[in-house]
Every structure is written in structure tokens, then in C-alpha cells.
Amino acid sequence: MQKNLYHLPVLSTPDLLAFRLFGPGLGNLMFPIARAVVGQKKLGGVMVPPTLRQIKFGTYARREPDKRTYGSLMEHRTMADWNNRFWSLFQRKVTEENFDRNKHESATIVYQGLGNFFHDIKQESAEICGWLVKRSSHKVDFTRDIDISVHVRRGDFVNANGSGANIQIPDEWYIGALQEARKLIGGRNQRCVIFTDGPIDQIKDLSQRLGAEVDASPNALASLLSMSRGRIIITSRSTFSMWAVFLGDRVAIWDRTFASSGYWPHRPDLDLVF
């Protein structure tokens, strides 16, 4: 094991150790974290927990319920974590693409950006999920089953008349997708849970029409881990949905107009479109 090898996910810049300025949503922040977890497993050395807390202004301007500052998602860094972060500053910094085991016996490997999305990590869902569960500040109760998880993305996604990937999916699509999911599962008394970043009153009508409860997780990571436990996951057009499907290795129903192949390695037996 290379004791002087550090794996450092840098989620956005500037990274001021205690907090960062700006940064994307959790779904996109997860990619450098996941690649660092995988890098530590393959190469040895030390995984340095990232700086999660970020200062954002758009979420306040849009009055989103989740301000996405993310400082409370994971357990606070231990003294050992801070010590590793300190020493990682003094090692030679290399990117994950440029790291050479023969040349860099002591180095800090920096993981940034989206990489090749899930194509980079497609075989490592159990390892990544285990690290997240261990570090999560809220311990999710995995003993209570969820039959169908439904992800309704709102927040900074535009309405259904917009264009591009970041658009909201209409309520009618979710109703049809849920009917398909219920046919697949069969039986009665199915537990359906809606996961959303929007205000509760915005999805109240949809939750009633679906006969679904609304997730009450205390933060975005706990919500993501809970959503991953659904036997079937009805997705939105977002990487947050993809993470839930990936971490749980679940059957997923996707919007047929969403071109996910650039992000997602297709799973013929598990990926369904509606």
C-alpha cells in the first residue's frame, strides 16, 4: 500500500478547504467522489473526503427548498481526515489520467469533473454505495421496503415546454409510468414514494393521483440512498435519478425521449422506456 498516495476529489473551485464557492448539484458532484473511491480501491493509498459545503446564490434566488449547500450530507471530517487533507497539499498533484504508478510513488491524484459519467465506474456500484453509506450523516433505514421510487425533478429544471436535457417531465408521464411499474411488480398494497427537490405543495396533486407518500429524508444524500432501495425506480431526466438506479442496481423506467446513452451503459434487462 502506498501510504503517500492520496485520492482527492475536488468538486469545484475555488476549494477553500472548509467550503467551496459555487458548484453543481449533488448528482454531478458524485462523479469525482466515486472515481476517487474506485481509485483508492485499485491503487491503494488514502481517500481524502471532499469539501462538500458550497456557497450558492441561484437556489436562494429561485427560492428552492433545498439550497444545495451540502455541508450536512456527510459526517464531519475526523482529525485523521484533516491530517490527510493537510498532507495532500504538499504532494505532487497529478490528474487521474496522468498518474503513473512507476513514476509517482508519492502523489495526490486529483479527481475533477464528470469524466465519462457512469461508463467510468459501471462495475463499482457496491464499493461506491458502501463508502457513501458509511460516510452519510443520516443512517438510512434499509429495512423498510419501497416498491416503487418516483423521482420528480423540479428546482432548476425548466417546464415541459423547454428544450434540452434539463426539462421537467409532465405529471401525466409519471402516472402512466407508475401504471407500468405496478404491472411489473404485481400484488397489492405497493408502497410508492416520491422523491423531489421541489416544494411539497408543488407535487401535492401528483402524490394524491399516484397514491404515493412523499419522502421525508433530512438531506439530499439520505434521499438518494433511500430512493436507491426502490424495487423499481421511475426516473427524471437527471443524474440524481441515475445515481439511485446505479447504487441500487435496480430496474428503471426512463422517459423514452431522453437520450441517456452518453451518460449510462445500457442494461437491456433492467432499463425500460415509457
Side-chain angles (χ1 to χ4, degrees):
M1 179 176 176
Q2 294 176 270
K3 294 183 179 180
N4 293 328
L5 186 61
Y6 296 92
H7 301 268
L8 175 65
V10 176
L11 308 187
S12 66
T13 54
D15 184 333
L16 304 174
L17 302 186
F19 65 92
R20 297 174 288 110
L21 295 182
F22 314 113
L26 181 61
N28 287 344
L29 294 177
M30 292 274 287
F31 289 107
I33 297 173
R35 296 200 308 276
V37 170
V38 174
Q40 191 275 333
K41 174 188 174 184
K42 292 181 176 179
L43 301 172
V46 176
M47 167 70 182
V48 181
T51 303
L52 274 171
R53 187 176 299 280
Q54 61 186 22
I55 307 300
K56 300 188 74 169
F57 303 105
T59 52
Y60 290 90
R62 291 188 295 268
R63 299 183 180 180
E64 295 179 28
D66 183 357
K67 300 303 185 285
R68 306 186 197 186
T69 53
Y70 299 144
S72 62
L73 297 192
M74 295 186 186
E75 293 180 341
H76 294 305
R77 288 167 169 160
T78 64
M79 288 301 297
D81 291 334
W82 278 111
N83 185 61
N84 290 328
R85 184 66 181 93
F86 174 78
W87 287 111
S88 72
L89 296 171
F90 298 97
Q91 301 292 335
R92 178 179 181 180
K93 291 183 174 59
V94 297
T95 65
E96 53 191 307
E97 296 85 3
N98 293 334
F99 174 74
D100 185 330
R101 186 193 296 266
N102 296 319
K103 294 180 180 178
H104 304 131
E105 294 183 1
S106 297
T108 296
I109 305 176
V110 177
Y111 301 80
Q112 281 185 281
L114 302 174
N116 196 22
F117 297 98
F118 292 92
H119 298 283
D120 286 339
I121 55 176
K122 57 187 177 182
Q123 305 298 329
E124 301 293 345
S125 60
E127 183 76 18
I128 296 164
C129 187
W131 189 88
L132 292 169
V133 168
K134 182 179 178 180
R135 298 292 307 201
S136 174
S137 61
H138 178 78
K139 302 311 176 187
V140 174
D141 181 6
F142 288 154
T143 63
R144 191 178 180 204
D145 291 335
I146 298 175
D147 293 299
I148 304 169
S149 295
V150 182
H151 186 220
V152 181
R153 180 66 186 267
R154 293 294 183 255
D156 58 347
F157 273 35
V158 299
N159 64 40
N161 295 321
S163 60
N166 295 342
I167 64 171
Q168 298 176 11
I169 297 177
D171 289 358
E172 295 303 323
W173 181 87
Y174 284 107
I175 293 168
L178 181 65
Q179 291 173 349
E180 294 299 311
R182 284 181 166 152
K183 290 177 187 177
L184 290 172
I185 291 179
R188 298 181 179 180
N189 301 320
Q190 297 164 356
R191 183 180 178 223
C192 177
V193 181
I194 291 179
F195 298 82
T196 185
D197 61 337
I200 299 300
D201 59 354
Q202 194 177 74
I203 59 153
K204 183 177 180 180
D205 179 64
L206 178 60
S207 67
Q208 291 175 345
R209 295 176 72 185
L210 295 179
E213 62 187 89
V214 179
D215 173 60
S217 297
N219 61 53
L221 179 57
S223 180
L224 178 62
L225 292 172
S226 293
M227 185 164 68
S228 74
R229 309 319 299 166
R231 293 169 60 190
I232 295 178
I233 300 176
I234 298 175
T235 66
S236 69
R237 300 163 64 98
S238 76
T239 53
F240 194 90
S241 282
M242 294 181 186
W243 275 108
V245 175
F246 173 79
L247 294 174
D249 193 24
R250 302 298 178 170
V251 173
I253 298 179
W254 307 89
D255 174 9
R256 67 173 63 254
T257 66
F258 178 46
S260 61
S261 59
Y263 308 92
W264 187 256
H266 182 57
R267 308 167 308 155
D269 298 328
L270 298 176
D271 289 323
L272 311 176
V273 296
F274 174 76

